Amino acid sequence: ASEDSASQRAAAIYSAAIREIVLQGNSFKEGRNPFDILYILDQADSAAAATGRRQGEREPIPEEVQEGIKEALEELGPIEFVSDSDSVIGSPRKGSQVKNNGALITLGTIPAHKNRIKLGMNMYIANLAAVWLTYIIKRKQDRWVVTGTTGPTAIS
């Protein structure tokens, strides 16, 4: 597979997962984005679906994948990739809320060369508002679609 197709594949998979977690995978108003900004960690984390602040192996999300995600998710509003999650999380005295009425998304690593994958991820809003889960994402014709979850799901 060429570099382009690998980047396009990653952007398409991540975009499907982000759209799902933002519009459906939270307890806010389903079907619309309740956040003013989405911050996305610029490194994929192999332990993204593990609860708490545990960190797994990390690998950078390439610039062209980041651009592909922003383009695919334009309708969700502003998206900013950040290299330090603490930089967008407010004071513990105020519930460690994500700044600017935002959400912080950590994406898992994508397994190569499969048309059905499991992608762990989490979305953090504040110290008592977060979700960790693993989506099943399948290639259907020319697009990637979230078809469900697998394994443990945790909500705080």
Side-chain angles (χ1 to χ4, degrees):
S2 74
E3 198 55 45
D4 273 349
S5 67
S7 293
Q8 289 168 336
R9 176 180 183 265
I13 290 169
Y14 282 145
S15 298
I18 294 164
R19 183 178 284 113
E20 183 72 15
I21 202 167
V22 169
L23 299 181
Q24 307 297 333
N26 64 68
S27 55
F28 299 102
K29 293 200 168 51
E30 291 193 354
R32 72 168 191 83
N33 179 4
F35 309 107
D36 291 341
I37 185 166
L38 298 175
Y39 297 106
I40 301 174
L41 194 62
D42 67 5
Q43 304 139 60
D45 186 331
S46 64
T51 56
R53 307 259 310 183
R54 208 181 75 195
Q55 187 176 310
E57 296 289 313
R58 290 214 166 154
E59 58 187 56
I61 296 172
E63 194 67 42
E64 56 276 13
V65 175
Q66 294 181 28
E67 291 307 314
I69 291 169
K70 286 180 180 178
E71 210 173 282
L73 299 177
E74 264 181 318
E75 84 278 5
L76 294 182
I79 292 175
E80 187 180 315
F81 283 84
V82 296
S83 53
D84 175 19
S85 52
D86 291 338
S87 69
V88 298
I89 295 175
S91 147
R93 288 194 319 272
K94 294 187 174 154
S96 300
Q97 235 175 326
V98 174
K99 296 174 180 174
N100 305 315
N101 189 38
L104 172 64
I105 295 172
T106 304
L107 299 164
T109 49
I110 297 176
H113 315 299
K114 291 184 180 170
N115 286 329
R116 179 186 184 275
I117 65 149
K118 295 175 184 175
L119 179 72
M121 63 188 300
N122 70 65
M123 182 168 67
Y124 177 89
I125 300 128
N127 65 2
L128 292 176
V131 60
W132 297 264
L133 46 70
T134 301
Y135 282 129
I136 298 168
I137 304 174
K138 291 182 183 169
R139 186 170 177 83
K140 294 194 172 177
Q141 282 87 40
D142 60 341
R143 43 195 283 265
W144 289 87
V145 180
V146 175
T147 60
T149 59
T150 184
T153 297
I155 298 171
S156 94

